[in-house]
Amino acid sequence: MFDKEDLEGPRIDRRTATKLLAAGGLSGLAGCGGGSGSSGSGGETSSDDSSGDSESSGDSSSASGSSGGSIAAGWNIDEIEYLDPHYIDKGQEIYVSSNIYSGLVKIGSDGAIVGDLANDWTLPDSSTYVFDLKEGATFHNGDPLDAPAVKASFERLMSLDDSPHLGKVSSVDSITAEDETTLRISLSETVGPFISFLTRGPGRAGTIVHAPSATENPDEYNRMPVGSGAFELTERESGEYLQLEAHDGYFGTDEEGNALPYLDSVRIDLIPEPSTMWTAMRGEEIQYSNSIPPQNAGQAESMSSLDVVGSNPGAWFCIAPLCNDPAEVEWQQYASGAGEPTDKWSDEDLPTTDVQVRQAISMAIDREALIERAFFGYAEPAHSVFNPAIAWLYEEEPEPGQYYDPEAAEQLLDDAGYTGEPRMSLSLLGTPSDERRMTVVQEMLSQVGIEVELNVQQESAYWDNLYRYENELVMYDGFVDIDPWMTLWKQLKTPVESGSAGAWQANLYHNPDFDEVLEQDYGTSDMDARSELLRQAEEHFLEDAAWAMTTFPLIPKASVSNLTGVGNQAGLSNFHTAQLE
């Protein structure tokens, strides 16, 4: 159990922060990636924060206090749907929002939780947080960013029945602005990971919105938000780019007290095609990419004009099989899905509802070969659901686990009654970023008699297709998940009518025993007890083959060699201390 002293500011050390983020299921990119997020292979190379008070680069070659210049950065997505943090649930959106907004706290360069707007915080008791805020901070429109404004941001989230982050503030009993720089949050019960919900970007509950604007015109706010971060969104063209300009009133400083950000502006170009991204990066049409194709990373590393930079691990890739016919599930609040689920399975066989078929699919995947052929070595094999960032649960070769065994896969398919040629035909949904590994998976499944048709969709169309549940198989992923709460609770638990459970259900998985264990896990911050409960959940996951885990990717980011100081902690791309030499 956490002692309240462990949770007080101005800095929560990396070890405790990891446990907190673990207990909360949070990370920089705890939303779904849809095949296009960014993890990394080399650890952090720089940061927008190494202390509670200042924004500083972890790259010793960069010079504090330099300023000026503009860059273009590539985001491998075709559309940014949400910029309102109370609705953001995808990694690419978090990457942008972390530059536009502030939080009460944030994740520092070494994984510690440190102050953002908060100078410090204390816990008079285990369910009360008192924050001391910086003076003189402002929103992009000049309005004061003070304790009443933060209170209004929280209250706005608490009023949103359709927010996927509502569950993070369900324990809040009262919020009081005691004066302009003192904010008190009282919880109805002790919630160990609560401080991790308040991180800028990843936590989203503590990412501060300008409540009057967000309430008055939520659609316009989602398109052109008023934040208080290092950069202000000044222009955007749907499906093409977003223009960020330096916020002159930003409260952040570097270690020497110099105002941040250094750059004058950042243009974010939306480049969903991996080959187009690499061409733009190689030709220096852009100066930064949040993801380059693994097959090009080696070439980039050999070029004097480019650097390959990494970010924290924690991403996972899987194949999500459709476990139930949507027409037969009783809960209609599944996933974010605004669209109508398909009724096609009332007339067609849905083989993936058979657990033996799902197990066979998992056994047909040669993960080592997939890494070499589709990731060019930039990945680790995934044999279970807990990725390397969840160090307290991760095992390199877990037992039980999901392993390559084509003979056993064929026997399972025989036992399930699928003995024809082909045994079955399935559709596999993914995005352009997934296409190379989709092709490899297609070939592997064909070896056990499963014919696979590839359905490659741009990201915005991918999500619409996913939540109609028309594809038996989906390439699915998460980014920098450093706790099972996000991976399991948000992605696989049976959804509830209100709250965050099952908010991103991709494949209609349902197991009451699994749900019960997760509910017990959610109610405790004792790490030993959590470990025991989550091992039980893992057993259900593996027995049901809820997903066929494939890899823990190490997706490289790239920059021109004279751009330094981009913060990649927790998988983010923060430009607070970025500078052109």
Side-chain angles (χ1 to χ4, degrees):
M1 192 70 79
F2 296 109
D3 294 328
K4 71 181 184 68
E5 290 79 8
D6 294 332
L7 306 179
E8 294 183 327
R11 175 184 176 86
I12 296 176
D13 63 56
R14 177 186 176 89
R15 182 181 180 85
T16 304
T18 299
K19 290 183 177 181
L20 286 167
L21 292 163
L26 287 175
S27 67
L29 313 178
C32 315
S36 62
S38 185
S39 174
S41 59
E44 299 162 8
T45 59
S46 61
S47 168
D48 77 314
D49 194 332
S50 61
S51 73
D53 299 323
S54 64
E55 305 277 353
S56 63
S57 171
D59 186 341
S60 61
S61 66
S62 61
S64 295
S66 63
S67 63
S70 299
I71 65 167
W75 253 235
N76 56 321
I77 192 171
D78 65 321
E79 185 60 272
I80 298 292
E81 183 178 5
Y82 291 108
L83 282 178
D84 182 337
H86 293 164
Y87 290 96
I88 286 173
D89 65 359
K90 297 183 181 70
Q92 301 286 348
E93 297 164 349
I94 297 173
Y95 303 154
V96 178
S97 71
S98 186
N99 290 282
I100 295 174
Y101 293 96
S102 306
L104 279 172
V105 294
K106 60 189 173 185
I107 300 173
S109 60
D110 61 354
I113 292 178
V114 298
D116 193 9
L117 179 64
N119 287 314
D120 200 354
W121 63 96
T122 58
L123 278 73
D125 58 66
S126 62
S127 59
T128 304
Y129 290 74
V130 180
F131 293 90
D132 171 39
L133 309 182
K134 291 180 171 64
E135 295 183 10
T138 66
F139 286 98
H140 296 152
N141 66 356
D143 287 355
L145 175 59
D146 52 17
V150 179
K151 177 177 183 288
S153 179
F154 272 97
E155 291 175 340
R156 190 256 184 167
L157 173 57
M158 294 166 68
S159 72
L160 300 175
D161 292 338
D162 59 344
S163 169
H165 310 296
L166 181 63
K168 297 173 184 175
V169 293
S170 61
S171 59
V172 173
D173 192 42
S174 65
I175 304 176
T176 306
E178 298 186 343
D179 55 42
E180 297 301 301
T181 59
T182 307
L183 183 76
R184 179 182 293 265
I185 302 178
S186 298
L187 308 180
S188 59
E189 59 185 342
T190 299
V191 180
F194 182 72
I195 191 69
S196 66
F197 295 157
L198 310 185
T199 51
R200 179 182 80 206
R204 283 159 282 185
T207 300
I208 305 162
V209 305
H210 184 261
S213 300
T215 302
E216 180 180 353
N217 191 338
D219 290 340
E220 178 60 18
Y221 190 82
N222 184 56
R223 192 184 76 86
M224 296 292 294
V226 177
S228 56
F231 292 90
E232 175 183 1
L233 177 64
T234 59
E235 182 183 353
R236 67 180 297 183
E237 184 66 36
S238 179
E240 294 188 19
Y241 70 90
L242 301 93
Q243 183 68 30
L244 306 184
E245 301 288 340
H247 172 32
D248 291 338
Y250 182 56
F251 58 80
T253 60
D254 64 20
E255 289 180 327
E256 297 179 6
N258 299 298
L260 295 175
Y262 300 142
L263 293 175
D264 295 322
S265 67
V266 177
R267 174 185 164 116
I268 296 176
D269 290 325
L270 307 184
I271 308 175
E273 293 292 340
S275 60
T276 305
M277 178 77 81
W278 170 239
T279 298
M281 191 75 244
R282 183 180 58 187
E284 299 187 35
E285 297 169 30
I286 57 176
Q287 288 72 54
Y288 178 85
S289 168
N290 70 0
S291 175
I292 60 171
Q295 63 267 32
N296 300 126
Q299 183 180 352
E301 289 176 343
S302 68
M303 298 171 63
S304 61
S305 59
L306 297 181
D307 289 329
V308 176
V309 296
S311 60
N312 288 341
W316 49 266
F317 283 4
C318 76
I319 299 169
L322 186 54
C323 297
N324 284 288
D325 179 348
E328 296 180 0
V329 299
E330 296 180 1
W331 49 94
Q332 294 302 316
Q333 64 277 14
Y334 253 104
S336 316
E340 289 294 321
T342 184
D343 61 0
K344 68 181 288 186
W345 306 117
S346 60
D347 300 319
E348 295 184 26
D349 179 37
L350 182 54
T352 50
T353 59
D354 189 325
V355 66
Q356 293 180 106
V357 172
R358 300 198 298 268
Q359 291 171 345
I361 290 169
S362 171
M363 292 178 178
I365 305 301
D366 184 342
R367 291 154 180 83
E368 298 288 352
L370 180 64
I371 288 168
E372 291 305 313
R373 295 172 58 189
F375 291 86
F376 297 85
Y378 283 87
E380 297 292 337
H383 300 295
S384 187
V385 68
F386 302 133
N387 72 71
I390 311 174
W392 51 291
L393 288 171
Y394 169 71
E395 295 179 355
E396 187 173 341
E397 296 184 352
E399 190 57 50
Q402 296 181 331
Y403 293 94
Y404 179 53
D405 190 340
E407 291 80 10
E410 291 179 322
Q411 184 61 56
L412 283 166
L413 293 171
D414 286 344
D415 294 345
Y418 291 97
T419 57
E421 290 190 18
R423 295 175 183 269
M424 65 187 71
S425 296
L426 307 178
S427 173
L428 175 60
L429 174 67
T431 69
S433 296
D434 299 320
E435 191 165 4
R436 178 178 289 273
R437 59 182 176 273
M438 289 172 73
T439 302
V440 176
V441 166
Q442 179 186 46
E443 181 182 335
M444 290 177 176
L445 292 181
S446 73
Q447 297 301 310
V448 298
I450 299 176
E451 182 180 74
V452 175
E453 178 183 357
L454 304 186
N455 181 6
V456 181
Q457 299 285 340
Q458 291 295 339
E459 183 130 354
S460 56
Y462 164 91
W463 292 105
D464 292 339
N465 277 266
L466 188 157
Y467 292 134
R468 282 196 291 269
Y469 304 109
E470 293 180 338
N471 300 271
E472 296 95 336
L473 304 174
V474 174
M475 300 299 287
Y476 198 62
D477 49 49
F479 289 89
V480 198
D481 283 2
I482 56 179
D483 183 81
W485 183 85
M486 183 59 67
T487 309
L488 302 182
W489 180 276
K490 297 287 286 188
Q491 311 277 7
L492 285 170
K493 186 181 180 299
T494 305
V496 295
E497 290 188 9
S498 61
S500 58
W504 299 320
Q505 256 274 7
N507 58 329
L508 303 186
Y509 173 65
H510 174 59
N511 181 329
D513 295 330
F514 178 83
D515 292 346
E516 182 180 353
V517 172
L518 291 189
E519 287 167 4
Q520 294 178 50
D521 171 63
Y522 185 76
T524 181
S525 58
D526 182 279
M527 299 307 290
D528 290 336
R530 289 199 73 211
S531 295
E532 183 177 343
L533 290 166
L534 289 165
R535 288 299 181 199
Q536 295 177 37
E538 182 183 32
E539 289 179 11
H540 292 304
F541 171 90
L542 292 170
E543 183 177 350
D544 292 340
W547 291 331
M549 301 301 298
T550 59
T551 55
F552 300 128
L554 302 170
I555 302 175
K557 304 185 181 193
S559 70
V560 293
S561 58
N562 65 330
L563 175 66
T564 62
V566 180
N568 292 317
Q569 71 279 23
L572 301 171
S573 293
N574 288 328
F575 297 108
H576 301 64
T577 55
Q579 55 189 302
L580 289 167
E581 295 180 345

